[in-house]
């Protein structure tokens, strides 16, 4: 008599999802079986880089750049939805499809650029976790960085138990961050008319706002999770036939809207908190550490503690997701199998270099987000080229209207990047000072 192997949590989740795809289960409990990939991706949209850019934007310019946060979140929904779609339609990740269908020299260049993005990502995430630990536990930053590295690696070992435990862990971190910002807004309510105006009226006021706008885009629409999301969906639930595949895409689209909608609200709350607390009287605050130390006397220890707890949760969870994305980028572009420890070693080195060389943490975070925004066109263009190929996508190929919106969105990102590069080169941009 053979022993019965108990079903894991991931197995049970897959079984419920299959039943829902066949029409056997309905309602919110069935939908929860599909929640995971977009929730995992969403943590990249509320990572420490967002803290840095949103604090600088809110403190320096009030609610002016809220519209950039809204725009970035809409762009994120669009591209994450397309990334999930291509994984479901083809059964391959975006990086793997690039390796299969693009010329080898181009693939090599794309991989190298994407590795730079992975390193910039891990720089922001590890530094955020270390900074949170350092301030909360009064540890030297280098010691906190070592603890954050070990802690992240330990959490990543949950991958051995399937996809569901790591999804639940990341989802728990998202919940902690969200609750912390509900507390922040209760303590420091925003100026709602100014909030609504900032969220709906596009405005820029000079070179600094352009740099921050590009940083916000880079911190929100992140290249590494465009690669990761397609990998998370391509074999999570095995479908039978096109009807189930279409249903799976619908479930995925709903999850993207909900998960990234929550992440967008958290981003807006970050900027609004900085605008409410710092813009009048403390507009020169441009460091996360300064924001923390200013919040305690200004709004009380609860506000300061919630702020730093959210940063800590953000840093740990985003570092998990960043390492997962780095594995996908290296393995699927090159075909190599990379041990977790090796992947972690490669991406953590820039964070240790920043600390050892004495660079400012917040400035490093903002610069890392600008690097991400400059790299972002690479996965976006690859995604838009591939998702329009009927031989790859079959019935799930995107239509003309979606194609137009996607290329328009990509064009907005490219335009912001061009403006930033012109400013860095010292070329004056009309209307921006």
């Amino acid at each position: 008599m053979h022993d019965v192997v108990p079903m894991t949590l991931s197995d049970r989740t897959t079984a419920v999802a299959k039943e829902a795809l066949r029409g056997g289960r309905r309602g919110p409990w069935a939908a929860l079986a599909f929640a995971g990939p977009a929730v995992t991706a969403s943590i990249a949209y509320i990572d420490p880089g967002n803290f840095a850019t949103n604090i600088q934007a809110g403190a320096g310019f009030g609610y002016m750049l809220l519209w950039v946060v809204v725009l970035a979140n809409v762009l994120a929904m669009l591209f994450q939805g397309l990334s999930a779609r291509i994984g479901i339609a083809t059964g391959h990740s975006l990086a793997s499809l690039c390796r299969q269908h693009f010329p080898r020299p181009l693939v090599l260049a794309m991989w190298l650029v994407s590795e730079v993005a992975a390193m910039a990502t891990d720089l922001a995430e590890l530094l955020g976790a270390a900074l949170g630990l350092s301030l909360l536990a009064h540890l030297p930053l280098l010691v906190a960085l070592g603890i954050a590295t070990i802690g992240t690696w330990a959490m990543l070992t949950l991958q051995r138990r399937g996809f569901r435990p790591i999804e639940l862990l990341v989802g728990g971190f998202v919940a902690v961050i969200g609750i912390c910002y509900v507390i922040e807004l209760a303590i420091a309510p925003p100026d709602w008319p100014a909030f609504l105006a900032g969220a709906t009226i596009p405005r820029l006021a000079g070179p600094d706002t352009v740099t921050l706008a590009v940083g916000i885009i880079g911190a929100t629409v992140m290249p590494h999770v465009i690669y990761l999301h397609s990998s998370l969906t391509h074999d999570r639930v095995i479908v039978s036939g096109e009807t189930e595949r279409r249903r799976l895409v619908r479930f995925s689209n709903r999850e993207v809207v909900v998960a990234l909608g929550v992440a967008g609200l958290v981003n807006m709350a970050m900027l609004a908190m900085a605008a409410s607390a710092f813009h009048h009287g403390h507009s020169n605050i441009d460091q996360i550490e300064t924001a923390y130390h200013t919040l305690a006397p200004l709004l009380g220890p609860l506000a300061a503690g919630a702020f730093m707890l959210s940063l800590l949760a953000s840093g740990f969870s985003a570092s998990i997701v960043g390492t997962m994305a780095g594995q996908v980028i290296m393995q699927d572009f090159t075909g190599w199998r990379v041990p977790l420890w090796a992947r972690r070693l490669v991406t953590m080195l820039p964070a240790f270099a920043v600390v050892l060389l004495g660079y400012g943490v917040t400035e490093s975070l903002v610069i890392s987000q600008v690097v991400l925004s400059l790299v972002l066109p690479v996965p976006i263009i690859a995604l838009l080229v591939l998702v329009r190929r009927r031989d790859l996508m079959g019935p799930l190929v995107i239509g003309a209207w979606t194609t137009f919106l996607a290329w328009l969105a990509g064009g907005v990102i490219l335009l912001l990047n061009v403006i930033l590069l012109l400013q860095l080169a010292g070329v004056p941009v009309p209307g921006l000072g």
Side-chain angles (χ1 to χ4, degrees), residues 41-103:
S42 75
I43 199 66
Y45 300 96
I46 44 178
D47 77 353
N50 295 89
F51 280 72
T53 54
N54 288 330
I55 286 171
Q56 289 194 10
F61 302 99
Y63 303 94
M64 180 190 296
L65 295 179
L66 268 174
W67 69 272
V68 182
V69 176
V70 174
L71 172 64
N73 206 65
V74 171
L75 296 178
M77 288 182 182
L78 174 60
F79 291 118
Q80 292 303 143
L82 292 178
S83 176
R85 186 186 190 95
I86 203 170
I88 293 168
T90 66
H92 296 279
S93 71
L94 175 60
S96 177
L97 290 169
C98 291
R99 178 163 56 89
Q100 295 172 35
H101 296 283
F102 293 157

Side-chain angles (χ1 to χ4, degrees), residues 349-370:
L349 289 177
F352 277 91
V354 165
V355 173
L356 289 170
L357 294 173
Y359 290 119
V361 172
T362 303
E363 294 95 329
S364 300
L365 289 176
V366 173
I367 291 170
S368 75
Q369 303 313 297
V370 173

